[in-house]
Amino acid sequence: MEDFYAMHPNYTTKVVMHIKDSVGSSVQAATAALDLLANYNVKAIIGPQKSSEAFFMSEIANMSKVPVISFTATSPSLTFDNIPYFVRATINDSLQVNSIASLIKYYKWREVVPIYIDTDYGRNIIPDLLDALEGNDARIPYRSIIPQSATSEQIIKELYKLMTMQTRVFVVHMTSSMASVLFTKAKEVGMMTRGYAWIITFGVASLIDSLNSSVLEAMNGALGVEVYVPKSTELDNFTVRWTTRFRMDNPNDPLLKLSIFGLWGYDTMWAVAQAAEKVKSTKENSEDGHEFLNAILQYKFRGLSGYFDLSSRQLQPPRFQIINVVGKGWREIGFWTAQDGFSQKFSKQKSNKTYLNIEPDLNPVIWPGESTDIPRGWEIPTSGNKLQVGVCTSSGYPEYINADKDPTITGTTKASGLAVEVFEEAVKRLPYALPYEYVFYNTTGSISSSYDDFVYQVYLKKYDIAIGDITIRYKRSSYVDFSLPYTESGVAMIVPVRESINMTTWIFLKPLTPGMWFGSIILFIYTGVVVWLLEFLGNSKTALSQIPTQMVMIYYSLFVES
């Protein structure tokens, strides 16, 4: 406020602050709101820290039509439908999930385990994170939920449980104090080593400069998503003045560095002071806070945190900065926006491409264990059951499947053949580890009944899967699922054929029907008679003597031509 009125000495209004402490309790926050409204006639309530506090206070303030402005309440559960006088002078946590999902996709990880605190702040981001991951072909096989009152022993127990799983990519979404304990214990149990990947959300990454140096060392190798604050002369000058003032007021305390939340609080006070001057609030005309609320929403300016715009009752989607915790600090590895995707350097140029279509580009990362190799995201679990793969020996085609027990002491089952090669190739193409072992099935009796019984073992859950030259039949399909055929056997139909042709001497008559034969004979006779009559009229004596010969030649020629 000192800075604001120093810049605006001619303003006739003056913002007066009345400080209350909620002591971290939503009930106490509601009590403080009642006190401020009833005894101080406040025109706005600024700064409820938790989302739950902001919700309780907003419900009360709505009755008096007093704006409630929070620059730290990031929970997506705070919607504006039921609390129309609430303003979020910060970002919605859901805005960061696409940047996290883009990181997962960039490093080609297919599974990720979220570790979050069991509060509204922790739980409310999960549905949006699930949707974002599914849109990037990733999934969540397990959710690690840490109670708010969890002890160090409980956290260690949960970490050991995570170590037995194959997923090695974790997204941490919790308060900075809880995250400090989590990473300290994770380092103790050996989860901050080569092969692991950790991503911290905005709530922790934005306070990275305020964390203890021992905590930062435990977090080495983690990635973080935080809001980018553009550099400016005003911010540099304020940082110097802030440091000087803090050391004067707290000479024995370690320096409390600035965070984005503090900058948002600073800009929020400027917006409120500017709105107060605009509406000229007095006791007579300030009963309805709607005009005051609109003045706050309409004021847009470039503050210490960057462009400050609350027109949609929360800050506009920001540019996220991707950081890598290294040593006792952090290094920048790139930026992300919904419009332009990843980039190594900050650029004001905008693109019409979405983050799903642009080719990502990030600087190299130093991963846990001081490794420069990108973690593959999974490892074979340290414990757990292996996939039981049934194989049998009754096949008459060893090229497809050939299995037998190892005669050595181990007694393991060995298998080979086309069916085995197809299965093993499919396992190699999975984006995660799938430990398996072959289980020998000794078939007896007929091949058909043996295969029926072999397949039925899958239904009985003796095997998780069965491989081999197994024919897909209707009966077997009723209790197991088959893969698509990977060999071409063709489709044929066998039907009985009854011989209806009588193979006799007169078989040559079959090509023509009786009617056709009768017509042909009549035509032959008619033609012969016509030719004979022509010969008879010309030379009756010669024609009469040559009748037999002429008739035979005529009929023969006609027969050959036909």
Side-chain angles (χ1 to χ4, degrees):
M1 289 293 92
E2 293 176 10
D3 289 353
F4 180 82
Y5 289 112
M7 291 287 294
H8 305 88
N10 59 331
Y11 276 20
T12 59
T13 57
K14 181 73 173 180
V15 172
V16 178
M17 293 184 290
H18 301 278
I19 309 299
K20 295 291 180 180
D21 187 2
S22 68
V23 297
S25 169
S26 299
V27 175
Q28 189 65 32
T31 303
L34 289 172
D35 184 33
L36 291 171
L37 292 171
N39 300 324
Y40 297 91
N41 194 30
V42 297
K43 309 307 175 191
I45 300 177
I46 302 172
Q49 182 177 1
K50 297 181 180 180
S51 298
S52 56
E53 295 176 11
F55 181 80
F56 274 97
M57 296 178 73
S58 298
E59 288 281 5
I60 296 173
N62 283 344
M63 302 177 185
S64 303
K65 297 183 179 179
V66 172
V68 174
I69 309 169
S70 174
F71 47 85
T72 55
T74 59
S75 174
S77 63
L78 281 171
T79 59
F80 307 115
D81 296 334
N82 299 326
I83 43 177
Y85 280 83
F86 172 71
V87 179
R88 194 200 312 266
T90 179
I91 66 167
N92 186 327
D93 270 336
S94 296
L95 294 178
Q96 64 181 318
V97 296
N98 283 333
S99 63
I100 295 173
S102 296
L103 277 174
I104 302 298
K105 182 178 181 180
Y106 176 71
Y107 292 114
K108 297 180 174 61
W109 297 323
R110 299 295 297 276
E111 289 189 349
V112 57
V113 172
I115 306 176
Y116 57 95
I117 189 170
D118 192 15
T119 61
D120 288 341
Y121 166 75
R123 291 187 297 264
N124 290 328
I125 195 179
I126 299 302
D128 295 315
L129 181 61
L130 276 171
D131 292 340
L133 290 174
E134 288 178 358
N136 286 270
D137 298 326
R139 70 184 190 94
I140 294 179
Y142 174 75
R143 304 181 189 185
S144 179
I145 307 173
I146 307 296
Q148 189 173 11
S149 58
T151 62
S152 297
E153 289 74 18
Q154 289 175 309
I155 293 177
I156 291 176
K157 182 179 179 180
E158 180 66 16
L159 290 173
Y160 276 129
K161 183 178 180 180
L162 294 175
M163 290 179 69
T164 64
M165 302 178 183
Q166 65 182 19
T167 305
R168 291 292 182 265
V169 182
F170 306 103
V171 174
V172 179
H173 180 65
M174 50 181 57
T175 61
S176 59
S177 58
M178 183 70 77
S180 298
V181 178
L182 176 75
F183 279 100
T184 301
K185 299 305 175 184
K187 183 178 181 181
E188 290 181 8
V189 301
M191 295 182 68
M192 298 303 298
T193 56
R194 180 187 294 267
Y196 286 89
W198 296 81
I199 300 175
I200 54 177
T201 58
F202 160 73
V204 177
S206 60
L207 299 174
I208 201 77
D209 291 325
S210 302
L211 298 179
N212 188 280
S213 59
S214 62
V215 174
L216 289 177
E217 290 178 358
M219 295 175 63
N220 267 209
L223 297 179
V225 177
E226 66 173 5
V227 173
Y228 172 69
V229 179
K231 297 179 180 180
S232 64
T233 304
E234 293 78 10
L235 179 59
D236 292 339
N237 293 336
F238 179 80
T239 302
V240 173
R241 291 187 293 112
W242 164 267
T243 302
T244 303
R245 173 72 67 87
F246 185 87
R247 286 176 174 169
M248 289 176 58
D249 296 342
N250 308 275
N252 299 323
D253 295 337
L255 178 63
L256 181 63
K257 295 183 180 180
L258 288 169
S259 71
I260 183 63
F261 294 110
L263 299 181
W264 281 333
Y266 183 94
D267 291 341
T268 296
M269 296 304 297
W270 275 55
V272 171
Q274 183 69 32
E277 175 68 18
K278 181 177 181 180
V279 300
K280 304 288 184 181
S281 297
T282 64
K283 289 186 177 179
E284 291 74 21
N285 63 8
S286 62
E287 294 300 327
D288 186 359
H290 185 68
E291 185 179 357
F292 188 30
L293 174 64
N294 286 338
I296 295 173
L297 300 181
Q298 292 172 5
Y299 183 50
K300 305 174 185 178
F301 64 103
R302 186 163 297 281
L304 296 183
S305 62
Y307 188 65
F308 199 77
D309 179 7
L310 297 176
S311 57
S312 58
R313 294 173 61 188
Q314 68 180 10
L315 287 182
Q316 302 303 307
R319 176 181 291 271
F320 286 103
Q321 184 178 22
I322 312 301
I323 64 172
N324 180 206
V325 182
V326 180
K328 296 183 180 181
W330 55 272
R331 55 193 289 267
E332 174 189 290
I333 65 169
F335 300 90
W336 183 92
T337 63
Q339 294 77 24
D340 301 324
F342 286 116
S343 59
Q344 289 184 352
K345 298 181 180 180
F346 174 76
S347 175
K348 294 184 179 181
Q349 296 180 352
K350 294 186 177 181
S351 170
N352 293 326
K353 296 181 180 180
T354 65
Y355 75 96
L356 292 175
N357 297 326
I358 195 169
E359 182 67 24
D361 189 15
L362 291 174
N363 292 315
V365 175
I366 299 177
W367 301 97
E370 298 184 357
S371 172
T372 56
D373 297 329
I374 299 175
R376 59 181 178 178
W378 57 266
E379 295 290 343
I380 297 177
T382 56
S383 65
N385 297 326
K386 294 183 178 180
L387 188 76
Q388 301 296 294
V389 182
V391 291
C392 68
T393 59
S394 64
S395 173
Y397 303 95
E399 296 83 0
Y400 277 93
I401 181 73
N402 185 25
D404 199 358
K405 280 194 173 184
D406 191 341
T408 62
I409 300 177
T410 60
T412 57
T413 299
K414 294 183 177 181
S416 61
L418 177 61
V420 175
E421 293 175 2
V422 170
F423 167 73
E424 293 180 349
E425 183 64 26
V427 171
K428 292 178 183 178
R429 293 172 180 259
L430 292 176
Y432 48 84
L434 183 63
Y436 62 88
E437 62 181 354
Y438 295 116
V439 182
F440 186 76
Y441 179 76
N442 191 9
T443 56
T444 58
S446 66
I447 293 179
S448 178
S449 61
S450 296
Y451 268 73
D452 289 340
D453 186 60
F454 173 53
V455 173
Y456 195 66
Q457 303 304 307
V458 178
Y459 177 76
L460 297 177
K461 300 188 183 302
K462 184 176 180 180
Y463 307 138
D464 297 312
I465 183 176
I467 62 174
D469 54 339
I470 304 172
T471 303
I472 302 176
R473 293 184 177 178
Y474 174 77
K475 179 181 178 181
R476 298 170 184 172
S477 300
S478 62
Y479 48 83
V480 296
D481 292 325
F482 284 94
S483 67
L484 292 176
Y486 52 83
T487 57
E488 179 59 44
S489 60
V491 178
M493 180 180 292
I494 301 176
V495 296
V497 177
R498 185 165 57 92
E499 182 60 61
S500 59
I501 300 176
N502 186 14
M503 302 296 291
T504 64
T505 308
W506 301 99
I507 188 65
F508 71 92
L509 297 176
K510 290 295 183 181
L512 298 180
T513 63
M516 289 294 293
W517 280 116
F518 179 77
S520 298
I521 292 172
I522 296 300
L523 180 62
F524 292 162
I525 296 174
Y526 173 78
T527 305
V529 171
V530 171
V531 174
W532 178 77
L533 287 175
L534 293 174
E535 290 286 343
F536 177 76
L537 294 175
N539 189 354
S540 59
K541 184 176 180 179
T542 304
L544 288 173
S545 62
Q546 294 181 350
I547 288 177
T549 303
Q550 291 177 351
M551 293 297 290
V552 171
M553 292 179 65
I554 292 171
Y555 292 153
Y556 176 77
S557 62
L558 290 174
F559 179 78
V560 172
E561 290 177 0
S562 63

